[in-house]
Amino acid sequence: MKRFVPALLATITITSAVSVAQAQIPPLLAEATHPMWAELGFGPAVEIDDSLTQFKLAPSFGYHFFGGAEGPAIAFDIQLSFGDDATFLELLPKFVWDIRIVPGLGLYISPFAGLGYLGIFPDCPRGFDCPDAHGVTFQFGVRAKLMLGNRGMVFFQPLAFDIQ
């Protein structure tokens, strides 16, 4: 009985804290309900070993398998990188798993992995075999997503690895 009372009190406290937190979440930041999404990402792409830095533009769309806004999903990215005398095109189908962090809040952690096509145009940057500027790319990483009114989102992708 001595162990039961602290466990019961802890459960009641946690349940109450989550209920209060859910009541204070503004509708703009509520969890998402739509299974389909489209997004546009942009920012720097930095190669670690040769310091090749490019501007990357990445439109993407996807669909969750079970009809909600969390869990497993399939997505498709068209990633374009510009700079350092070359343009990279990546056509990347990928697997995503959206994990909601706080009940009621549209904050998700999204690990992903994809395998797709890589094309390098028109010039060959250093470190690449120029006669064949096409190949396979494997990408994996994680991002944090915050839903906005079930209509949009902002995300932060601190790190992704691209193996070409």
Side-chain angles (χ1 to χ4, degrees), residues 48-74:
I48 295 171
D49 58 357
D50 280 346
S51 298
L52 174 70
T53 301
Q54 296 185 308
F55 176 76
K56 189 169 217 174
L57 183 65
S60 176
F61 60 92
Y63 187 82
H64 287 93
F65 294 133
F66 301 123
E70 63 183 300
I74 190 77

Side-chain angles (χ1 to χ4, degrees), residues 75-79 89-95 113-119 134-140 161-164:
F76 187 78
D77 287 8
I78 302 169
Q79 299 181 5
L89 169 67
E90 295 178 73
L91 304 176
L92 190 71
K94 65 182 184 178
F95 179 78
L115 180 67
Y117 164 79
L118 168 70
H134 304 279
V136 174
T137 183
F138 172 65
Q139 187 180 93
F140 62 95
F161 295 96
D162 227 341
I163 301 168
Q164 303 165 336

